Amino acid sequence: MSALRNEHLSYSRLSRFEACPLSYRLHYLDKHTAEPGVPLSFGKALHAVLERLLQEAIDTECAGPLSEARALQLYREEWAASGLSGLDLFQQGLGILQDFVRQQGRVDSRDILAVEKEFRLPVGPFTVLGFIDRVDWVDEETIAVIDYKSNHQLFTREELDSSLQLSLYALAARRMWPWAKKVRLSMWMLRHGVRQETTRTEEQLDAALAYVETLGQQMETAESFAARLNPNCVYCDHRRNCPAYAQALEGQRDVVCEDTSDLESVARERQEVAHLAKILGARKAELEGVLRAHLAEQDELVLAGTRYRMFNTTSLDYPLEPTVAVLARATGLPREELLQRLASVEKKALDAVLKDAGKRLGTARVALLKAELDSLAAKHHSPRFWAKEVA
């Protein structure tokens, strides 16, 4: 193994190389200092709290609910150590942890087989090193592998079923707990309070092993490491050292479709423009943040021939009962007819009520309640454009 470029592989290394060879080279070969963004630091802080909270439950042989107070104490410690700032983000983390403790419910430490479990998985000439957030005992032949995620978006079924990370976890879990005939895999989506579950077949696991070995060989033999511009460039911890990112910020283009009847050319330019738009949009938001900070202290700025100000916009929300009462008196229309014509429940507000109800009713009853409410909802369909890169 000493002759290999990579002392070991990991999901992080594999996925970074897959997404952008230049980012992989800067991070792992050139060992440039990373610039982790807020989402990564926030996610790490949440993971650290959950690891410590559950490890303490194991150490004290807990058989009962986790402590919200202890979760808050651990969160404060991790927050201080992380360098994060901002009341809104702090409150987000606090709410996520409170929801986790309540959703977790009663814990029996004997059912938690491992927390932050290290594994070393042999794959051809390579060793894949990794850590599984949590492994639970389910029954005499089943274990549950759990990975915590702080993503804003839920995974699609396709993403879940094809996740290389979960495939590696399944392979590692079967080696560490060979008695388990079944391995359940789940992403615990902390922001949503949802566990998205999947499994793997033997064929899928064999394919994952072959893919990792193939990708590992590519990483070993690569002589050039081209930047691969993609929408995630705005989150890359090495974007400051990437010439492709610098060119994107300058709006430089490589693909311009001159014949719109050539759909391949249309699609290539569309993809490049989509990537540039996300990068430039993120940069615009970053620059506006600087200007907003200065406008908090003065009424306006006049810079580079442009006047900048902060102003408030007003939106109106009419309270239901008083509004219906006024209209009924003025128009003579029956209250029931007015309610039918005016009243509807916003999905976001309904979801918030259901989430709060879940603390009292439990996940199963809320799921049934949501299904009943969904059957009453009026469904509206509109065409939306969808695009996803394929191999």
Side-chain angles (χ1 to χ4, degrees), residues 351-369:
D351 287 344
V353 172
L354 291 174
K355 184 177 181 180
D356 185 59
K359 300 167 188 175
R360 303 187 306 276
L361 303 179
T363 306
R365 289 182 64 188
V366 167
L368 289 173
L369 177 58

Side-chain angles (χ1 to χ4, degrees), residues 36-37 85 124 138 155 173 189 217 241 263 292 319 370:
S85 63
V138 178
F155 291 101
M189 309 304 292
Q217 294 289 2
N241 294 310
L263 292 185
R292 285 170 181 269
K370 187 175 188 307

Side-chain angles (χ1 to χ4, degrees), residues 235-278:
Y235 308 117
C236 180
D237 42 12
H238 297 290
R239 61 190 181 278
R240 306 299 181 197
N241 294 310
C242 176
Y245 184 76
Q247 291 171 6
L249 288 180
E250 294 172 2
Q252 293 188 23
R253 301 274 306 281
D254 293 325
V255 182
V256 177
C257 174
E258 297 180 355
D259 179 8
T260 54
S261 65
D262 180 356
L263 292 185
E264 280 289 330
S265 181
V266 168
R268 282 196 297 271
E269 182 178 356
R270 184 262 167 203
Q271 285 302 95
E272 183 181 60
V273 170
H275 295 164
L276 290 173
K278 183 160 186 178

Side-chain angles (χ1 to χ4, degrees), residues 45 110 131 146 179 238 262 265 271 335 343 350 356:
R110 295 171 296 180
F131 296 85
I146 301 167
W179 54 264
H238 297 290
D262 180 356
S265 181
Q271 285 302 95
R335 178 179 181 277
L350 177 62
D356 185 59

Side-chain angles (χ1 to χ4, degrees), residues 155-223:
F155 291 101
T156 64
R157 172 48 56 185
E158 179 187 357
E159 289 169 335
L160 203 65
D161 290 343
S162 63
S163 166
L164 179 61
Q165 184 179 24
L166 289 181
S167 294
L168 290 172
Y169 287 175
L171 288 161
R174 297 206 317 179
R175 286 178 61 87
M176 290 186 287
W177 291 277
W179 54 264
K181 297 178 182 178
K182 301 176 185 176
V183 179
R184 295 181 185 172
L185 304 167
S186 66
M187 301 285 200
W188 192 320
M189 309 304 292
L190 298 172
R191 290 182 183 273
H192 306 271
V194 170
R195 283 176 62 171
Q196 295 188 273
E197 297 190 349
T198 184
T199 57
R200 291 292 183 270
T201 64
E202 292 294 331
E203 292 78 11
Q204 287 175 310
L205 295 179
D206 288 343
L209 286 172
Y211 180 69
V212 168
E213 186 171 357
T214 302
L215 201 57
Q217 294 289 2
Q218 285 182 266
M219 293 162 72
E220 290 297 317
T221 58
E223 295 181 358

Side-chain angles (χ1 to χ4, degrees), residues 76-346:
R76 286 173 171 167
E77 293 173 9
E78 290 297 333
W79 180 272
S82 69
L84 291 165
S85 63
L87 175 60
D88 181 62
L89 188 62
F90 181 84
Q91 288 177 322
Q92 287 182 40
L94 185 59
I96 286 170
L97 292 171
Q98 288 172 330
D99 288 345
F100 173 86
V101 169
R102 293 164 187 165
Q103 186 180 6
Q104 174 62 70
R106 186 179 183 278
V107 168
D108 189 334
S109 61
R110 295 171 296 180
D111 292 340
I112 304 175
L113 299 178
V115 174
E116 196 66 12
K117 179 67 174 178
E118 178 180 330
F119 66 84
R120 293 179 182 272
L121 181 68
V123 182
F126 306 104
T127 297
V128 177
L129 172 66
F131 296 85
I132 301 176
D133 287 340
R134 176 175 167 185
V135 182
D136 282 3
W137 179 88
V138 178
D139 56 40
E140 287 76 7
E141 61 176 21
T142 310
I143 60 174
V145 171
I146 301 167
D147 189 61
Y148 300 122
K149 295 293 185 187
S150 55
N151 301 31
H152 284 275
Q153 298 293 327
L154 294 172
F155 291 101
T156 64
R157 172 48 56 185
E158 179 187 357
E159 289 169 335
L160 203 65
D161 290 343
S162 63
S163 166
L164 179 61
Q165 184 179 24
L166 289 181
S167 294
L168 290 172
Y169 287 175
L171 288 161
R174 297 206 317 179
R175 286 178 61 87
M176 290 186 287
W177 291 277
W179 54 264
K181 297 178 182 178
K182 301 176 185 176
V183 179
R184 295 181 185 172
L185 304 167
S186 66
M187 301 285 200
W188 192 320
M189 309 304 292
L190 298 172
R191 290 182 183 273
H192 306 271
V194 170
R195 283 176 62 171
Q196 295 188 273
E197 297 190 349
T198 184
T199 57
R200 291 292 183 270
T201 64
E202 292 294 331
E203 292 78 11
Q204 287 175 310
L205 295 179
D206 288 343
L209 286 172
Y211 180 69
V212 168
E213 186 171 357
T214 302
L215 201 57
Q217 294 289 2
Q218 285 182 266
M219 293 162 72
E220 290 297 317
T221 58
E223 295 181 358
S224 61
F225 300 88
R228 189 171 293 155
L229 205 63
N230 63 79
N232 292 322
C233 288
V234 296
Y235 308 117
C236 180
D237 42 12
H238 297 290
R239 61 190 181 278
R240 306 299 181 197
N241 294 310
C242 176
Y245 184 76
Q247 291 171 6
L249 288 180
E250 294 172 2
Q252 293 188 23
R253 301 274 306 281
D254 293 325
V255 182
V256 177
C257 174
E258 297 180 355
D259 179 8
T260 54
S261 65
D262 180 356
L263 292 185
E264 280 289 330
S265 181
V266 168
R268 282 196 297 271
E269 182 178 356
R270 184 262 167 203
Q271 285 302 95
E272 183 181 60
V273 170
H275 295 164
L276 290 173
K278 183 160 186 178
I279 291 170
L280 291 171
R283 180 59 173 169
K284 174 175 172 285
E286 182 181 355
L287 297 173
E288 286 180 352
V290 175
L291 296 174
R292 285 170 181 269
H294 286 276
L295 286 170
E297 301 174 358
Q298 47 192 307
D299 293 335
E300 69 176 30
L301 296 170
V302 179
L303 301 165
T306 303
R307 189 184 305 276
Y308 298 96
R309 287 180 177 173
M310 296 294 295
F311 64 93
N312 294 319
T313 60
T314 302
S315 61
L316 299 176
D317 290 314
Y318 298 91
L320 182 61
E321 288 297 340
T323 302
V324 169
V326 169
L327 285 171
R329 286 198 304 270
T331 64
L333 292 172
R335 178 179 181 277
E336 291 73 17
E337 180 181 341
L338 288 169
L339 282 173
Q340 195 79 315
R341 293 173 63 179
L342 294 176
S344 64
V345 179
E346 183 189 31

